[in-house]
Amino acid sequence: NAPLKGSLTGSGAISITNGTDILYADAVVRVNGGTKGQVLTSNGTDDSTWTTLSAAALKIAHVSGGGTLDFANDFTLINAVGFTGIVNFILPTPTDPVLIGKVYNIKRTDADSNAIVKIVAASGIIDVNDTEMTLGEASTVQLMLESVAPVRWLLVYKF
């Protein structure tokens, strides 16, 4: 065996210095792992940590029958099967400016023509001058909170 070049250092991370052939074909490198579901993240400098994946995952809600939508969710799936007439889903009144710029995705998952699903702003406007919009069967809408005073929802995409 040739003499070892370089060294392995660090706690929780691997650093290879002084040599390009420090690892041979039969080398085994072990990294202390996190728990199931975690990913290795970096702070952009020399530190790495294990992070729980669910902290960065999209929050999804399944709703039916109308009611107020929740700011905590990134994606809301609406099912209007079995409902007749207008079914209102209310966009709550935002007060925290930290929510400005957040995109909310709302997907109607049914094709029931008996229900007319409406997205209604509790306060403020949606897009140019509307306070409500109809969400057609099997349609998706993306809304971005543009401002909180006055409340303004920007229609990003509707398909």
Side-chain angles (χ1 to χ4, degrees):
N1 278 352
L4 185 64
K5 296 180 182 178
S7 62
L8 291 175
T9 60
S11 58
I14 299 172
S15 175
I16 301 174
T17 57
N18 299 327
T20 57
D21 56 351
I22 186 170
L23 299 176
Y24 299 103
D26 60 350
V28 175
V29 177
R30 299 193 194 288
V31 176
N32 291 335
T35 60
K36 183 177 181 178
Q38 289 186 317
V39 295
L40 192 59
T41 60
S42 171
N43 67 355
T45 58
D46 293 334
D47 298 323
S48 59
T49 56
W50 290 102
T51 304
T52 301
L53 189 57
S54 63
L58 289 175
K59 293 174 182 64
I60 300 172
H62 297 267
V63 295
S64 61
T68 301
L69 300 176
D70 190 344
F71 282 128
N73 299 312
D74 301 303
F75 216 108
T76 301
L77 302 174
I78 292 174
N79 185 343
V81 169
F83 293 93
T84 303
I86 296 174
V87 182
N88 288 326
F89 290 89
I90 312 299
L91 295 169
T93 301
T95 56
D96 190 350
V98 77
L99 294 172
I100 293 173
K102 183 169 179 175
V103 175
Y104 298 90
N105 300 282
I106 304 169
K107 166 74 176 163
R108 184 169 171 190
T109 59
D110 68 275
D112 191 340
S113 61
N114 294 318
I116 300 168
V117 172
K118 296 210 177 251
I119 307 299
V120 180
S123 62
I125 59 172
I126 300 172
D127 216 22
V128 177
N129 208 17
D130 295 322
T131 57
E132 65 180 45
M133 65 184 301
T134 302
L135 185 60
E137 301 159 23
S139 294
T140 301
V141 66
Q142 290 181 331
L143 297 171
M144 181 180 72
L145 182 60
E146 186 176 1
S147 65
V148 294
V151 176
R152 184 173 170 98
W153 298 92
L154 178 65
L155 177 61
V156 177
Y157 200 79
K158 185 175 181 181
F159 50 97

